[in-house]
Amino acid sequence: MKITKLSAGVMFLLGTAQALSGQQAPNDSLKKEKEIEGVVLRGSIKKGAESNLISLQRKSAEVIERVGAVQLEKQGVSDVSVAVTKATGAQKQEGSGQVFIRGLGDRSNSTTMNGLPIPSNDPAYKNIDLGIVKTDMIDFVGLEKVYNPRLWGDMAGANVDIVSKIYTGKPYFKVNIGSSVNFNAFSKPNFYLQNGPDYLGFKQINKPKNAKIAQFGYAFNTGWQNEETFTPINSSLGVDFGRSFTIGEEGKLSVFGFGNFDNDYNFTEGIVRSVDNSGAPLKDLLGQEFTYDTNTTGLLNLNYRINSNHTVKATTNYIHTTEQKLGFYEGYIRDTNEDRANETAHLRRAAYKTNDLWINQVAGEHRITEPLKLSWNVGYNRLDSRRPDRQQNISVQNRNTGLYHFIAGNAGANHRYFDRLLENDYVGNIHGDYQLNDMLKFTVGYRGRFKDSDFRATQYNFRVKLAPGNYYVTPEDYGAFFNYDNYQSGAFFDIRTFRGIVGADEMALVPQYYQSEVMNHGAFANAEFKAGEKLTAQLGVSYENLQQSILYNTSIQDGDVDKNYSKILPALNVKYSLNDLHNLRLSASKTYTTPLLLEVAPFEYEDIDELSFGNTDLNPADNYNLDIKWEWFPKRGELISATVFGKYITDPISRVTVNSSSNSVSFVNTGDSGMIFGVEAEFRKDLYTHGNSRLYTFMNATYLNTEQKLDAGKVDRENPNSRVAVSFISTKDKMQGASDFLANVNLGWEQKWNRNTMDVVLSLSHISDNIYALGYESKGNLVDKSVNLLDATVRFSLNNGLGISASAKNLLNTNFTRVQANGNGDVVVRDYKKGISAGIGISYQF
């Protein structure tokens, strides 16, 4: 960093990124810096550097916690879902990019980019899959676990704010290439995927036109055969660049661009099982799953500093992802091979999902007068999410003859499924800060959001007409049976939807659908009071109104839902600086939690081992939050802190196993109240320094004690329009998804010589047991067992612009296990290993 005309009297300004970069995170409230006449500062600072983020945390009136891009690069963390787990009290949900924070999952958290809400890329979730957001395009990720009125109040765990990178410093162009392997996938002699999707992930498989189906019946463009793919070696290619331009006497335009493609092959093998409430198996299978994912991301960030009083920023971010999974499962399925002694069920399931997410934002900050500052932010988000051509086949093998056949009349056993979710999301906020004097600042603002969602799904079921023994099939290609010629003959199979027989019933091709419109309005006011240099207090209130309408027609039922909620949400944040190194903080607030769209819409989604459906009678939960925190900043870049927090929740929402003979789950307000009590600790410290060598650690741990009341009578009374019925095992239990203990331990060694740097980082994470779904009667809770994850990264940054890295992930190759915790003993229902991954990367910066 180069600085000219620098005097010792202004060195303290270097700790404030706002002064040097022109960027301030949306919810910071830092001490007002004094202008010093005659001093000119020019330079750059890494806003994602740990020392800078800790400095901001020390000064902020609000509780903020951030994970910076610089440290993430050292750890070899490439996506935001893993980045968030490096923060205190956060855990990643296995099998997705969703995170739990302080024991609360997807519905209890929110996600923003640069302070504006962004949509989920998957109808099953409220928040975007953080695994698709690349860390190379961000400055830092902020976790706002304490509410303040500038945030939307629909959060109980935290708001995750992704702050996209703004270019500062010298012009540059950087190229990144990398390759890795997952040893589970690489060790397979053959790696299979379904027919249709391509390597880059841009080939779209469309649902057959209704007119074509009506005319030809069987009109599918892809086959049922398994296709062997290329050698399963992962690859990545990315570029990013930055440059600034002077405009006029005071203007400066900064441009940052990022583009990236990567793919990921994986293979898992293990148990897939489900049992009924008597413990008898519904499915008892050994499964193999081949997966292939792609991610193509582009981001352009323009920051135009008009002059010292006015700045405008524009961001556009396009993310295209695909997920393929081809699974083979064999064993016992109750409804298929009742002669378990002589028959084996074979289930093939091919799933393909594509997501196109386009995020657009324009924001501005304007110093109208010395005491008045105006900030605004508007955005438009577009989501196109599809599950095109999910395929399922179930056949039965006679072990005496070795021959395979289908089960006649079981239409849903063999099917093809297509769905599509389209969302348009308009968001915006504006607020003004008025600095009355050195002691008092007022903030008032408004925020709004309108989102329309259109979801449509069609499942084509193939009902076999022939009796077993009159034909045989080949599992390698079920298309030898399910094809155009056999359909036209009329003897082999017909095609049905839940509305009727294709070609016979007029309504057969009308898709299932739900359409939703959500309107949010919020107004807030906040007062910040400073009593000297030690005490800062914020007292604010927010009013929010949420209106949601859903029109639906599905295989479960048709109808509409209209919900209208108004919430008044007070918030108090107090910071007391014992001295320059120690802070005490107190925060109290009220927030709320609304159910997800798919938790309300009565749509049925069937996976291998469970079936889930929404509940139109779900109500929001209210959350009352209290935090007490102590912070110690021993020296620059170091932090030691401890937090005690509690949450009281009315009408808590949980995933539950419903009363049924199948393994079905839904969502209910389980009881009148729930509570969470927790303790968090964080430690970032240099352990040893000598010359250009540094041994350091950053670690955190969280203990959680949770409880919710369970009341089956309440569920019956409050769910008159749904088919949800429960019989809880007890009158209270832990909160769904909450682990009792979470910990992250990171040990790093930094060595510098001749402007070259080497970083070695070991990262260990522990997640204890947590409830996946509440059980009923003799059918116990579904529980995800504890896991330990160990990663290692070595990275060299050379003074000629070359960067070299090597990483190894999941070195312990931990078992991921889910059990049904029955009273007479746990039943393992999921068990597999993801395998160890290792890779290298090379970058060059021009």
Side-chain angles (χ1 to χ4, degrees):
M1 181 172 63
K2 297 180 179 179
I3 302 175
T4 61
K5 300 182 182 179
L6 177 63
S7 68
V10 296
M11 286 295 291
F12 71 96
L13 288 174
L14 299 181
T16 306
Q18 178 185 4
L20 293 178
S21 67
Q23 180 184 14
Q24 177 180 327
N27 297 306
D28 286 352
S29 170
L30 304 181
K31 294 181 179 179
K32 183 182 177 184
E33 304 290 359
K34 303 292 186 180
E35 292 186 2
I36 300 179
E37 186 176 356
V39 175
V40 178
L41 299 178
R42 295 188 181 94
S44 64
I45 194 167
K46 291 186 176 180
K47 296 178 288 296
E50 291 299 296
S51 59
N52 183 53
L53 296 178
I54 290 175
S55 177
L56 290 171
Q57 179 174 334
R58 179 175 63 86
K59 296 179 180 182
S60 175
E62 290 122 5
V63 177
I64 57 176
E65 186 172 339
R66 291 175 177 152
V67 183
V70 174
Q71 189 60 54
L72 293 174
E73 183 180 17
K74 292 181 180 182
Q75 293 177 264
V77 174
S78 61
D79 68 72
V80 172
S81 68
V82 179
V84 170
T85 64
K86 303 303 180 183
T88 314
Q91 69 188 78
K92 183 175 180 286
Q93 181 181 2
E94 170 55 23
S96 78
Q98 303 300 319
V99 295
F100 279 73
I101 301 172
R102 289 183 166 180
L104 297 170
D106 178 59
R107 79 175 70 86
S108 298
N109 301 313
S110 57
T111 307
T112 55
M113 177 176 283
N114 304 316
L116 277 184
I118 54 176
S120 169
N121 61 307
D122 189 324
Y125 299 106
K126 169 185 173 183
N127 294 284
I128 187 173
D129 179 350
L130 295 173
I132 71 175
V133 182
K134 297 301 178 181
T135 53
D136 285 342
M137 70 182 209
I138 68 171
D139 270 329
F140 58 84
V141 182
L143 257 71
E144 296 161 307
K145 294 185 285 190
V146 170
Y147 176 69
N148 71 74
R150 292 185 186 178
L151 299 172
W152 282 104
D154 188 2
M155 55 167 278
N159 178 67
V160 178
D161 188 35
I162 304 163
V163 178
S164 60
K165 187 174 291 184
I166 290 181
Y167 160 74
T168 59
K170 295 180 180 180
Y172 79 96
F173 185 89
K174 186 177 181 181
V175 179
N176 299 275
I177 59 174
S179 182
S180 65
V181 294
N182 173 272
F183 290 107
N184 275 10
F186 194 71
S187 64
K188 296 298 294 179
N190 304 101
F191 195 95
Y192 293 103
L193 293 172
Q194 74 184 91
N195 172 253
D198 62 359
Y199 176 80
L200 295 176
F202 280 92
K203 183 179 180 181
Q204 189 61 260
I205 301 174
N206 295 312
K207 181 176 77 71
K209 299 290 185 182
N210 283 354
K212 194 172 182 180
I213 288 281
Q215 180 180 359
F216 298 103
Y218 191 95
F220 302 96
N221 297 321
T222 56
W224 300 86
Q225 71 270 24
N226 310 318
E227 293 192 348
E228 188 174 355
T229 68
F230 300 102
T231 303
I233 298 177
N234 307 326
S235 59
S236 65
L237 173 64
V239 298
D240 59 276
F241 61 88
R243 188 175 180 85
S244 62
F245 304 88
T246 300
I247 301 177
E249 294 184 0
E250 296 186 76
K252 183 178 181 180
L253 175 65
S254 297
V255 181
F256 170 75
F258 171 80
N260 183 84
F261 168 82
D262 61 36
N263 57 12
D264 189 26
Y265 292 91
N266 285 283
F267 173 81
T268 59
E269 183 174 20
I271 293 170
V272 180
R273 183 181 290 132
S274 61
V275 299
D276 64 16
N277 58 355
S278 66
L282 302 171
K283 292 178 180 176
D284 191 356
L285 304 168
L286 180 65
Q288 295 185 333
E289 295 180 346
F290 300 83
T291 63
Y292 176 67
D293 302 333
T294 70
N295 184 310
T296 304
T297 298
L299 178 134
L300 181 64
N301 219 339
L302 306 177
N303 191 74
Y304 179 33
R305 183 181 180 272
I306 302 171
N307 54 43
S308 59
N309 292 321
H310 302 280
T311 300
V312 177
K313 183 178 74 170
T315 301
T316 184
N317 183 199
Y318 171 72
I319 303 175
H320 172 78
T321 63
T322 66
E323 301 173 28
Q324 293 185 60
K325 179 188 289 186
L326 179 60
F328 304 105
Y329 313 87
E330 63 176 46
Y332 172 73
I333 301 175
R334 186 183 64 180
D335 297 332
T336 300
N337 55 330
E338 296 182 0
D339 183 7
R340 190 172 185 179
N342 299 303
E343 294 180 338
T344 300
H346 289 261
L347 189 157
R348 171 187 179 270
R349 190 177 176 98
Y352 182 43
K353 182 166 67 173
T354 70
N355 298 300
D356 288 277
L357 178 61
W358 190 27
I359 300 169
N360 300 277
Q361 300 176 343
V362 180
E365 292 186 355
H366 309 277
R367 177 71 65 182
I368 308 301
T369 63
E370 177 58 29
L372 178 61
K373 180 181 177 182
L374 184 68
S375 302
W376 55 271
N377 202 348
V378 295
Y380 166 70
N381 308 306
R382 168 76 171 179
L383 173 68
D384 185 345
S385 178
R386 310 186 195 197
R387 285 184 176 89
D389 202 22
R390 185 189 75 198
Q391 303 173 0
Q392 179 176 292
N393 306 101
I394 300 178
S395 62
V396 176
Q397 180 190 28
N398 185 307
R399 289 200 292 272
N400 298 318
T401 65
L403 300 174
Y404 295 79
H405 63 82
F406 296 123
I407 299 299
N410 187 356
N414 298 280
H415 69 248
R416 284 185 148 176
Y417 170 89
F418 296 79
D419 74 23
R420 186 178 188 184
L421 172 67
L422 292 175
E423 284 190 344
N424 294 289
D425 188 19
Y426 306 87
V427 294
N429 61 54
I430 184 171
H431 70 268
D433 297 317
Y434 189 84
Q435 190 77 45
L436 184 64
N437 51 45
D438 290 341
M439 298 177 59
L440 192 58
K441 181 175 77 173
F442 293 102
T443 301
V444 295
Y446 164 82
R447 54 179 171 262
R449 186 179 192 183
F450 174 77
K451 181 168 70 173
D452 64 79
S453 307
D454 190 319
F455 177 83
R456 297 176 185 270
T458 301
Q459 180 168 306
Y460 302 97
N461 297 319
F462 298 80
R463 187 179 71 92
V464 176
K465 294 181 177 181
L466 296 176
N470 295 325
Y471 69 97
Y472 300 102
V473 295
T474 304
E476 287 73 25
D477 184 9
Y478 290 108
F481 184 91
F482 294 120
N483 56 49
Y484 176 77
D485 291 336
N486 284 355
Y487 176 78
Q488 289 295 321
S489 75
F492 289 81
F493 66 94
D494 61 24
I495 303 175
R496 304 179 173 213
T497 70
F498 87 96
R499 298 188 192 274
I501 302 174
V502 172
D505 296 310
E506 182 179 353
M507 298 294 291
L509 297 178
V510 176
Q512 302 181 67
Y513 67 85
Y514 60 80
Q515 297 169 310
S516 168
E517 290 188 352
V518 177
M519 177 71 77
N520 292 68
H521 294 284
F524 64 90
N526 192 65
E528 181 176 316
F529 175 76
K530 293 184 178 181
E533 293 297 320
K534 291 185 176 295
L535 181 65
T536 303
Q538 288 184 338
L539 180 62
V541 65
S542 174
Y543 168 81
E544 292 188 16
N545 178 260
L546 169 65
Q547 302 173 45
Q548 182 179 43
S549 62
I550 306 174
L551 179 67
Y552 56 87
N553 189 315
T554 71
S555 61
I556 298 177
Q557 62 191 87
D558 63 276
D560 60 84
V561 176
D562 285 295
K563 296 180 180 291
N564 192 319
Y565 311 112
S566 292
K567 302 289 184 180
I568 296 176
L569 309 172
L572 172 68
N573 289 287
V574 178
K575 183 186 78 170
Y576 184 77
S577 299
L578 298 171
N579 51 45
D580 289 341
L581 302 179
H582 295 267
N583 289 336
L584 288 178
R585 298 180 182 272
L586 171 68
S587 302
S589 64
K590 178 185 177 183
T591 59
Y592 64 97
T593 301
T594 56
L596 314 184
L597 177 57
L598 207 61
E599 293 179 341
V600 175
F603 177 77
E604 196 169 73
Y605 187 81
E606 185 174 4
D607 211 333
I608 295 297
D609 53 348
E610 74 174 27
L611 182 150
S612 64
F613 59 92
N615 174 10
T616 58
D617 295 317
L618 268 182
N619 293 312
D622 285 334
N623 318 299
Y624 299 87
N625 315 292
L626 179 66
D627 282 64
I628 300 173
K629 186 173 187 177
W630 164 71
E631 298 172 329
W632 177 26
F633 305 90
K635 66 177 184 179
R636 180 176 172 82
E638 296 185 347
L639 168 65
I640 300 172
S641 68
T643 306
V644 178
F645 64 90
K647 297 179 181 292
Y648 179 81
I649 304 172
T650 63
D651 286 332
I653 304 169
S654 286
R655 180 192 290 112
V656 297
T657 305
V658 302
N659 296 350
S660 71
S661 59
S662 63
N663 193 40
S664 298
V665 300
S666 189
F667 311 90
V668 299
N669 300 100
T670 54
D672 291 331
S673 64
M675 76 86 181
I676 297 175
F677 170 78
V679 178
E680 294 177 340
E682 183 177 11
F683 185 85
R684 303 188 194 189
K685 190 79 173 61
D686 289 346
L687 301 178
Y688 172 78
T689 58
H690 179 73
N692 293 324
S693 300
R694 180 169 72 103
L695 181 66
Y696 61 93
T697 186
F698 53 102
M699 60 182 73
N700 55 62
T702 303
Y703 165 76
L704 289 172
N705 186 301
T706 69
E707 182 180 286
Q708 61 178 321
K709 294 182 179 179
L710 305 178
D711 186 344
K714 171 186 169 71
V715 174
D716 289 340
R717 293 190 302 272
E718 296 182 356
N719 293 270
N721 303 308
S722 69
R723 62 178 190 177
V724 177
V726 296
S727 300
F728 293 123
I729 300 169
S730 62
T731 59
K732 61 183 180 181
D733 211 327
K734 294 180 180 179
M735 298 290 289
Q736 176 240 316
S739 295
D740 289 346
F741 184 70
L742 304 168
N744 291 290
V745 179
N746 300 269
L747 185 64
W749 174 37
E750 180 184 77
Q751 179 68 50
K752 295 182 177 180
W753 72 98
N754 298 328
R755 293 168 56 202
N756 301 303
T757 303
M758 179 185 72
D759 284 287
V760 181
V761 179
L762 291 174
S763 303
L764 175 66
S765 298
H766 171 80
I767 303 171
S768 68
D769 295 2
N770 60 88
I771 296 174
Y772 172 77
L774 294 169
Y776 73 97
E777 292 181 346
S778 57
K779 188 172 184 177
N781 296 334
L782 291 172
V783 177
D784 288 334
K785 303 299 288 182
S786 65
V787 295
N788 296 292
L789 305 172
L790 178 64
D791 300 334
T793 302
V794 180
R795 182 176 296 271
F796 294 89
S797 299
L798 306 181
N799 59 19
N800 60 1
L802 183 66
I804 303 172
S805 65
S807 63
K809 309 289 186 184
N810 193 30
L811 285 168
L812 301 178
N813 201 12
T814 302
N815 279 66
F816 292 88
T817 304
R818 178 176 296 162
V819 303
Q820 187 170 294
N822 291 347
N824 57 354
D826 292 349
V827 177
V828 176
V829 297
R830 275 272 183 175
D831 187 77
Y832 61 91
K833 291 184 176 182
K834 296 181 69 174
I836 299 171
S837 298
I840 58 173
I842 299 174
S843 66
Y844 188 76
Q845 182 169 315
F846 299 89

